[in-house]
Amino acid sequence: MQVTLRQLEYFLALAETGQVSKAALRCNVSQSSVTIALRNLEQSVATSLFERHAKGLRLTEAGVRFARHARNVSGAFDRAMEDMRAEPNDLGGHLRLGVTETISAYLMPAVIAAVGQRFPNLRLDVVERDRAAVEADLLAGNLDLALVIVSNLTRFDKLQYDTMLKSPRRLWTHPDHPLQQADKVRLADVACADYVLLDMDEHIETVGKYWGRLGLRPRVRFQSRSPEAVRSLVALQQGVTILSDLVYRPWSLEGRRILRRDLSDDVPTMDIGVVWRKRGRLAREAEALTGFLHASIKALAHV
């Protein structure tokens, strides 16, 4: 049988959610469609991709390997479609774009490549700074635009922004962690588990705010500035964490699996957007880049 993109879509949704009902809801199809697609896919690859457990399905070792390839195929297809829809623009000029650490790590390579293809005559200089320095450089006229976590901004009196992506924050755990089997997960439940805290782009302050609203705080066992270290510690069953979908990857560097769970409590999204100084209309180059990013940022983020 020929493997189809639709089968890969259903397979990846099922790999992420671990339940046929949730995968069907995500893909906006019936449960039987997901079940049939999985059965046909397993026949095509001649191996079992999932095994059953008390609360649903989990990937087999073969399924883990296949999911890695499926994500690459799906991402390549999305990029190919975006490439076909985006005709090169002869816009020229020079723009200075500021970014913060998270944006630099998870968005900038894709953004730079896409902008270079869309606007081959536009010179784009990208500078990484912390949030406070980015705000100061915007106000001083040293940057034309910035791509940042807008929920961290402070100078709303002199800066304006356009939110382009709201990335949900979810619980990350090892596949066998008890919280994966719970009917629902609250922050109070997470507070009873060892926690791995990421120290990046004012994330600690954000954690303190939304945990503090419920009078809670995480039981931090490890703290790191490295997202990969956090990922590995979670995958090695050393703790759990709550991070946004933008930085989520289903495997650690060691090739170990990480699963996500929605939280029943209100956890803020991580909001990504373009920021500029309030000074009237944007320059033509800046306006064109902002419009392009608004139309394509979700595809570039792969979330």
Side-chain angles (χ1 to χ4, degrees), residues 24-58:
L25 186 62
R26 177 179 293 189
C27 298
N28 197 29
V29 296
S30 66
Q31 294 185 37
S32 61
S33 296
V34 174
T35 302
I36 292 170
L38 174 61
R39 183 171 64 242
N40 291 340
L41 182 60
E42 289 183 324
Q43 289 176 356
S44 297
V45 299
T47 190
S48 295
L49 300 174
F50 290 92
E51 58 187 9
R52 295 194 175 276
H53 62 91
K55 293 291 184 178
L57 300 172
R58 68 163 64 94

Side-chain angles (χ1 to χ4, degrees), residues 174-194:
H174 181 274
D176 294 330
H177 196 281
L179 289 176
Q180 284 293 339
Q181 313 306 322
D183 291 332
K184 66 177 182 178
V185 179
R186 304 165 300 160
L187 279 180
D189 302 318
V190 181
C192 297
D194 287 336

Side-chain angles (χ1 to χ4, degrees), residues 14 38 137:
L14 189 52
L38 174 61
D137 282 344

